[in-house]
Amino acid sequence: MPSVFETSSAAIPITFVTRSSWDALRETLPPAQCQFATASAFTAKPGGYLALPAPDGAIAQILFGLEDDDARSRDLFRPGALSGLLPPGIYRFANAPHDARLAALAFALGCYRFARYRKADRPDVRLVPPDGVDAAEIDRVADAAMLARDLINTPSNDMGPAELAAAAQDLAAEFGASFACTIGDDLEKNFPLIHAVGMASDRAPRLIDIGWGDPAHPKVTLVGKGVCFDTGGLDLKPSGGMLIMKKDMGGAANVLALARMVMDAKLKVRLRVLIPAVENAVAGNAFRPLDIFTSRKGITVEIGNTDAEGRLVLADALALADEDKPDLLIDLGTLTGAARVALGPDLPPFYTNDETLAADVARYAVKENDPLWRMPLWPAYDAWLDSKTATITNAPSGGFAGSIVCALFLQRFVEQAKSWLHVDIYGWTPSAKPARPEGGECQAARAIYALLGERYA
């Protein structure tokens, strides 16, 4: 998308104000503007907006309310609401918000509109980059986040395994990366779990494989769950549970967004991206409860529930990734309702046994306003995966600790990577917030990109 940033000496100032600073700031306003603010009942509440008029009727400045510095919680993306409030024009920050870099990113993200199927004009607003803010870096992150949103928001009839593969191939071509794709029955021998999940759909499953970077650089491999629609299989979801299952490829969308950031920034990594792209459909040849499949790794897996399909396709992809002995292996997937019950839609859990990595992820989750929360790979629950007829089951009975058990399942397929990170994302904003419209969302990718940027710049 075109950059939201533009330099102009005639930019309209945006003044950020809090309830505690409002009285003092009001005293500095020209009398007419002060009277206008009083008549408009502006109170500087968070999200409060007021355009103050100049004598000639033009906009003299914008007032926008933020939380006080000592507020219990502050939304560092609140300035993103401005993109949808401001009249067309070029603007600048007259004073500092809580975080100028995140405010500028929020402004850019707030300009997003999903317009594939209906007209949705992008706000005709521009922002002068705040002092010290790298506009090119903000554009890089915003463009990638919007790619993830577009992919997730596209309905499944236009975003099946083939279309997801095409989007990945376009990204690879843009940055001169290699692209390979294993399709349909060619998966059965080497990737039996991916084949099993996808074989009931008339849209053939795929394993997407992208490679980029100098082979001499540290190996970083990203794996993203690409279930383009999830009916639940023979363990059929209720209709309400299927309503937003177009987002079940959110892990793949966010991995592609992260890969875009990494390649665009030319980080010093040997990047590999693996995406198992499938549709979990219902047909006469669908995989069944209590079926047993031998995974790529040789682990036999009993199907406890066909609606726990995401961990199956990730398992084969992780096994392939692990064979390459990467320095860092990261997987993202929209995996468990249990994660949402525990932490809600805004706070994905992450899992790792690497204490340094865990601390870095937590630090950058805060720094980038990309919330993540560490959960334990609790060893005592590993026995819950035991099966009487196979090595493990994909869905133990009982229902306890669903996100942890899923992470433990995936851990069985990772042995040689020096460090592994698993993130159970939601990939969706249920109700609009500043800079975060309702719909598909980029989660975890920004925090992980910042971490990679620190390690491999």
Side-chain angles (χ1 to χ4, degrees), residues 6-96:
E6 185 171 326
T7 301
S8 171
S9 59
I12 300 168
I14 298 170
T15 301
F16 295 103
V17 59
T18 67
R19 280 174 166 155
S20 63
S21 68
W22 171 229
D23 287 342
L25 187 144
R26 181 169 49 189
E27 295 300 317
T28 68
L29 296 175
Q33 291 184 20
C34 183
Q35 179 59 35
F36 185 86
T38 300
S40 300
F42 182 77
T43 60
K45 68 178 180 180
Y49 166 90
L50 184 64
L52 294 176
D56 62 358
I59 298 175
Q61 67 171 311
I62 301 294
L63 301 179
F64 188 74
L66 298 178
E67 297 87 350
D68 280 307
D69 288 337
D70 60 354
R72 179 175 297 178
S73 64
R74 297 179 300 175
D75 184 354
L76 299 181
F77 272 3
R78 189 171 296 284
L82 285 163
S83 305
L85 294 171
L86 294 169
I90 303 173
Y91 297 84
R92 63 178 175 84
F93 294 165
N95 60 344

Side-chain angles (χ1 to χ4, degrees), residues 101 105 109 135-147 257 260-261 264 368 442 445-446 449:
R101 181 179 62 88
L105 174 60
L109 292 175
E137 177 71 0
I138 297 294
D139 281 336
R140 175 179 298 124
V141 173
D143 285 348
M146 291 179 191
L147 169 65
R260 181 181 183 84
M261 296 180 212
D264 192 31
E368 300 303 316
C442 184
R446 292 188 297 103
Y449 166 64

Side-chain angles (χ1 to χ4, degrees), residues 70-366:
D70 60 354
R72 179 175 297 178
S73 64
R74 297 179 300 175
D75 184 354
L76 299 181
F77 272 3
R78 189 171 296 284
L82 285 163
S83 305
L85 294 171
L86 294 169
I90 303 173
Y91 297 84
R92 63 178 175 84
F93 294 165
N95 60 344
H98 296 307
D99 187 309
R101 181 179 62 88
L102 290 178
L105 174 60
F107 193 97
L109 292 175
C111 291
Y112 174 80
R113 299 292 184 273
F114 183 61
R116 179 166 176 171
Y117 301 96
R118 57 180 288 181
K119 185 176 181 180
D121 292 334
R122 186 175 187 241
D124 186 15
V125 292
R126 299 289 185 271
L127 182 69
V128 175
D131 290 343
V133 170
D134 185 342
E137 177 71 0
I138 297 294
D139 281 336
R140 175 179 298 124
V141 173
D143 285 348
M146 291 179 191
L147 169 65
R149 289 174 175 178
D150 277 347
L151 292 172
I152 297 169
N153 284 330
T154 302
S156 298
N157 60 312
D158 286 330
M159 186 52 65
E163 291 81 6
L164 182 56
Q169 187 170 16
D170 287 346
L171 182 67
E174 181 179 352
F175 292 98
S178 66
F179 175 86
C181 193
T182 308
I183 303 174
D185 289 341
D186 290 342
L187 292 163
E188 186 171 9
K189 180 180 178 181
N190 292 319
F191 305 98
L193 295 180
I194 299 174
H195 182 264
V197 173
M199 65 185 177
S201 174
D202 59 2
R203 303 196 287 180
R206 285 159 168 77
L207 178 63
I208 298 159
D209 190 344
I210 295 172
W212 175 89
D214 186 337
H217 288 158
K219 296 177 182 177
V220 174
T221 301
L222 312 177
V223 180
K225 174 187 170 185
V227 178
C228 295
F229 193 81
D230 182 21
T231 66
L234 293 178
D235 287 309
L236 194 67
K237 292 179 183 289
S239 59
M242 273 189 259
L243 192 59
I244 57 171
M245 278 299 100
K246 68 177 184 178
K247 80 168 186 67
D248 214 20
M249 40 65 70
N254 276 280
V255 157
L256 290 175
L258 176 53
R260 181 181 183 84
M261 296 180 212
V262 168
M263 293 188 291
D264 192 31
K266 299 180 175 61
L267 297 188
K268 293 181 175 63
V269 298
R270 175 56 173 165
L271 181 69
R272 190 179 192 185
V273 179
L274 296 170
I275 295 173
V278 303
E279 180 176 30
N280 188 18
V282 178
N285 65 332
F287 73 123
R288 298 164 287 262
L290 300 189
D291 280 355
I292 295 175
F293 298 93
T294 302
S295 68
R296 177 180 179 84
K297 193 172 180 63
I299 296 172
T300 56
V301 181
E302 182 181 37
I303 307 304
N305 192 305
T306 63
D307 196 20
E309 85 299 329
R311 65 198 69 180
L312 296 174
V313 300
L314 283 178
D316 270 353
L318 283 170
L320 174 63
D322 193 56
E323 292 163 13
D324 206 26
K325 300 179 182 179
D327 295 275
L328 179 57
L329 174 56
I330 300 169
D331 76 81
L332 276 66
T334 52
L335 284 156
T336 69
R340 316 291 75 87
V341 171
L343 298 175
D346 299 341
L347 186 58
F350 73 90
Y351 299 84
T352 182
N353 280 327
D354 183 332
E355 296 301 321
T356 300
L357 178 62
D360 286 345
V361 170
R363 176 164 54 91
Y364 275 108
V366 173

